[in-house]
Amino acid sequence: RLGGDEFAVLLEQLHGPQDAASAARKVLDRLSGPIPLEAQTVYISASIGIGCFPDDGTDVQTLLKHADTAMYRAKDAMRNCFRFYSAEMGLRASNRLTLLNEMRAGLARDEFLLHYQPCLDLAQDTVSRWEALLRWQPPGGPLRHPREFLALAEETGLITELDDWVFRRACAQLRAWREAGIPVPRLALNLSVSQLHRQDLMERLTAVLRETGVDAGELDLEITEATAMNEVEERHRLLQQLKTLGFGITVDNVGTNALSLRGLRRFPIDQLKIDREFVARLPNDEEDATIVRAVIGLAHGLGLRALADGVETPAQRAFLEAAHCDGIQGYLVGEPIPATAIAEFRDAGC
């Protein structure tokens, strides 16, 4: 046992990699069965990485390192499987380490920034809120989108520092807009899974609000549908606390996972945000059109607002207006822009 839930198995006198694969399959098979534990039955799985002497290393340290790299590839693949180490994995691991170090340095050098994307209230034809979106601007390099680095930040725990930075920077920016007389109605911020698991979340948010002078009622917090539907009882308790402070609550990416109607009915939420995957093919794809209408009807039936993400064409907007969607967000309304461009955008209108 190397520590935590990691174990190493040393196999000697093998005739080839196929013998290691056979042993891995046996381990997975033995672990997959039901395990009686007191009055319950539990199931576990494993992810196995294999490093072979001498191709993958001629000393213990190198073999363990490469087996560990292969194990993480197994986790990325589907879990409950095994993977052999390859040179490509080593390069990928090296690239990930480089990216992680660059992110840490970038956070220390204040290279991260926020862009803001408008949401249009269809009934009023005015901007109802701005969503804060994280960006990274390395010196001398292109602007980097979260899809390039956020998953690694979540895996390594760096997301905690980024979350703190985003919330503090967004609240400070909202205060700056207020002081400059720039009318920003509301600001939307995304809550990561890591944030929802932090025991000190409420204390941290409250401290930043107090420090910046921002009222929780000026902010919408967004959580994904998958996150909301996981650990329902715990999510309900936390969302209720956030709602009590005054935050607006939006469930994002609606339609990409199985909605729990019981959970939605209980959650103190204000808005459902339809995932862009279902908006992209509107109005021509009848199946997506049916799903979008159903989500809008569900939201209104529960007394919630419905917002559609990823709206890029006038035809999509026309469909959503006819379906009585409350708001739209996407390039048709406006792309994410720096904080300094907000005043000009509002002057120009939608």
Side-chain angles (χ1 to χ4, degrees):
R1 181 177 180 226
L2 300 180
D5 59 354
E6 291 194 0
F7 298 81
V9 178
L10 175 64
L11 302 175
E12 298 182 285
Q13 298 179 348
L14 300 183
H15 297 294
Q18 69 277 3
D19 289 351
S22 177
R25 291 191 187 96
K26 290 178 181 178
V27 171
L28 293 174
D29 183 61
R30 291 296 299 273
L31 290 174
S32 64
I35 301 172
L37 185 64
E38 296 181 350
Q40 297 182 335
T41 299
V42 299
Y43 295 83
I44 62 174
S45 62
S47 299
I48 300 177
I50 302 172
C52 296
F53 172 91
D55 294 342
D56 301 327
T58 57
D59 60 84
V60 173
Q61 269 192 325
T62 304
L63 278 174
L64 281 175
K65 182 179 74 172
H66 288 169
D68 192 59
T69 298
M71 179 195 68
Y72 278 103
R73 175 53 68 92
K75 284 186 175 183
D76 290 342
M78 62 183 74
R79 299 179 181 267
N80 202 37
C81 65
F82 65 87
R83 289 290 184 270
F84 282 92
Y85 175 79
S86 68
E88 179 270 333
M89 288 183 189
L91 178 61
R92 181 172 180 267
S94 176
N95 290 339
R96 284 163 57 90
L97 181 59
T98 299
L99 178 60
L100 179 60
N101 290 335
E102 289 175 349
M103 275 195 292
R104 292 191 186 280
L107 195 55
R109 293 194 295 256
D110 203 27
E111 294 173 3
F112 288 90
L113 64 152
L114 293 177
H115 280 187
Y116 301 86
Q117 187 172 32
C119 174
L120 186 70
D121 184 293
L122 288 174
Q124 303 297 324
D125 198 31
T126 58
V127 173
S128 59
R129 67 174 198 166
W130 292 82
E131 181 178 357
L133 300 168
L134 183 63
R135 298 292 186 266
W136 178 19
Q137 181 63 77
L143 189 69
R144 305 189 72 165
H145 190 276
R147 62 175 170 266
E148 301 177 47
F149 59 84
L150 208 56
L152 180 59
E154 290 176 344
E155 289 177 26
T156 58
L158 185 61
I159 190 67
T160 299
E161 295 178 55
L162 284 173
D163 285 338
D164 289 342
W165 182 90
V166 167
F167 192 77
R168 179 168 281 101
R169 180 62 59 91
C171 287
Q173 183 60 64
L174 184 58
R175 182 185 63 185
W177 282 325
R178 295 279 188 260
E179 293 174 350
I182 299 174
V184 174
R186 295 181 70 80
L187 197 58
L189 299 166
N190 293 284
L191 284 182
S192 71
V193 175
S194 297
Q195 281 179 298
L196 295 174
H197 282 124
R198 292 182 66 172
Q199 297 297 318
D200 62 344
L201 176 64
M202 304 302 297
E203 291 79 3
R204 289 188 308 104
L205 297 184
T206 302
V208 173
L209 293 176
R210 186 166 51 247
E211 171 190 323
T212 58
V214 169
D215 188 271
E218 302 176 274
L219 302 173
D220 288 335
L221 302 180
E222 294 195 3
I223 63 172
T224 66
E225 180 185 79
T227 301
M229 295 304 111
N230 189 29
E231 302 175 5
V232 172
E233 292 300 325
E234 183 64 21
R235 295 290 180 266
H236 176 267
R237 181 190 63 79
L238 178 59
L239 293 180
Q240 189 63 60
Q241 290 177 329
L242 292 170
K243 193 67 179 173
T244 300
L245 283 179
F247 290 107
I249 306 294
T250 296
V251 176
D252 195 4
N253 303 128
V254 171
T256 56
N257 290 272
L259 276 170
S260 165
L261 299 183
R262 178 173 174 270
L264 278 180
R265 182 173 59 82
R266 292 184 57 205
F267 285 165
I269 59 180
D270 304 283
Q271 185 166 249
L272 299 182
K273 190 174 184 182
I274 304 168
D275 191 79
R276 61 179 57 242
E277 173 187 341
F278 302 99
V279 175
R281 291 180 290 272
L282 294 178
N284 299 320
D285 189 296
E286 189 54 41
E287 289 185 357
D288 285 349
T290 299
I291 291 173
V292 169
R293 291 192 192 97
V295 173
I296 294 171
L298 173 64
H300 292 166
L302 294 172
L304 311 175
R305 288 173 55 84
L307 166 65
D309 195 16
V311 180
E312 298 184 354
T313 69
Q316 291 169 344
R317 171 176 175 166
F319 173 89
L320 291 163
E321 282 185 303
H324 306 293
C325 190
D326 299 290
I328 58 174
Q329 185 173 334
Y331 280 17
L332 182 67
V333 180
E335 63 184 69
I337 57 177
T340 53
I342 296 291
E344 290 78 5
F345 180 93
R346 291 193 60 84
D347 290 341
C350 299

